[in-house]
Amino acid sequence: MLTRKQHELLIFIDGHLARTGYSPSFEEMKGALNLKSKSGIHRLITALEERGFLRRRAHRARALEVIRLPDSRGAAPEALPAAAGFAPNVIRGNFAPNLPGAVRTANDAAAVSLPLYGRIAAGVPIEALRDSGESIEVPAAMLAGGEHYALEVAGDSMQDAGILDGDTVVIRRGDTAENGSIVVALVDENEVTLKRLRRRGNSIALEAANPRYETRIFGPDRVRVQGRLVGLVRKY
């Protein structure tokens, strides 16, 4: 699954390579996508590399290789036409009061049914999460009070913490977390990511658990905690 910006950048890079034989500069990519900073381009390239669409050639400047393209060039996968009025549903810190939360199943002592909100990138932030109306059953012993929800992990940046691509993480909703906790964090009100939270003076660091990924540092007003990891479900 690609966001619209990831899809646009991939198609732009592929077209530039076809026309010129070399990859575009960060400035050209920034202008093509109408972004204000090169850091946004860096995040998009990292996301495309993680998802297997793009490869960076080592020790060569401006050396990008398109490995594969989405199924359709006309629109980003998972995107709906503008006329349909689709608006991304980002998990916010202030959930609506009537949000269902955890619902007991028939086997009350054994399992609890939690809302499954979608996929969260453990490698780089994604722009939005879509509420699909799906749910997942988890052991009741995994929960210890409070409201919980589940997310499917996309990416490998938390693999050294035992969180793998395709796992389902169980999150206890809340807007605070202890230093060193693994949290769902909302960055700049439109990016959601699963990372380890570190407070460094007046800054907040979101740490990956994979040396391939860099730690990202933000001002305190740019990050809001959405919940804390309390469990993990893995299918074999």
Side-chain angles (χ1 to χ4, degrees):
M1 180 180 71
L2 296 182
T3 66
R4 185 170 296 278
K5 285 296 185 184
Q6 290 166 4
H7 182 270
E8 290 176 359
L9 181 61
L10 182 63
I11 297 305
F12 175 72
I13 293 172
D14 183 63
H16 195 282
L17 285 168
R19 290 192 310 272
T20 66
Y22 56 87
S23 56
S25 67
F26 270 56
E27 195 67 34
E28 289 170 326
M29 289 185 277
K30 182 167 70 78
L33 271 67
N34 196 27
L35 295 179
K36 295 181 179 180
S37 69
K38 294 180 181 179
S39 62
I41 295 296
H42 173 75
R43 290 197 297 269
L44 291 172
I45 289 176
T46 302
L48 290 169
E49 185 180 24
E50 176 196 355
R51 287 158 174 78
F53 288 93
L54 202 64
R55 177 186 297 136
R56 280 184 268 205
R57 297 178 182 174
H59 311 301
R60 294 181 60 182
R62 292 179 59 178
L64 297 173
E65 178 184 358
V66 175
I67 300 174
R68 63 189 179 98
L69 292 171
D71 293 337
S72 171
R73 292 193 176 204
E78 302 283 324
L80 298 180
F86 170 72
N89 179 28
V90 178
I91 293 180
R92 301 289 179 181
N94 52 341
F95 282 70
N98 61 352
L99 192 66
V103 178
R104 293 286 178 179
T105 62
N107 189 356
D108 192 61
V112 171
S113 180
L114 298 181
L116 180 63
Y117 285 115
R119 290 172 65 82
I120 184 168
V124 289
I126 56 177
E127 291 180 0
L129 295 176
R130 185 182 305 178
D131 185 355
S132 64
E134 297 181 357
S135 62
I136 184 172
E137 290 189 358
V138 303
M142 188 179 291
L143 312 179
E147 187 175 350
H148 297 75
Y149 57 90
L151 294 165
E152 185 180 351
V153 174
D156 63 356
S157 81
M158 298 302 290
Q159 65 179 19
D160 290 352
I163 304 171
L164 308 181
D165 182 51
D167 285 348
T168 299
V169 289
V170 178
I171 305 297
R172 181 177 181 179
R173 178 193 155 196
D175 56 9
T176 61
E178 296 179 357
N179 200 31
S181 299
I182 296 176
V183 303
V184 174
L186 177 66
V187 181
D188 293 335
E189 297 298 323
N190 70 350
E191 297 177 337
V192 187
T193 189
L194 183 71
K195 291 291 182 292
R196 192 176 298 279
L197 178 75
R198 300 285 188 189
R199 293 181 177 88
R200 300 180 178 179
N202 293 326
S203 299
I204 292 177
L206 298 179
E207 291 182 354
N210 183 333
R212 289 180 51 217
Y213 299 93
E214 61 186 16
T215 296
R216 302 177 66 200
I217 300 176
F218 303 92
D221 57 337
R222 296 183 60 192
V223 177
R224 286 202 293 137
V225 173
Q226 303 283 277
R228 179 174 57 86
L229 176 72
V230 297
L232 183 146
V233 178
R234 179 172 299 157
K235 295 181 180 179
Y236 291 94

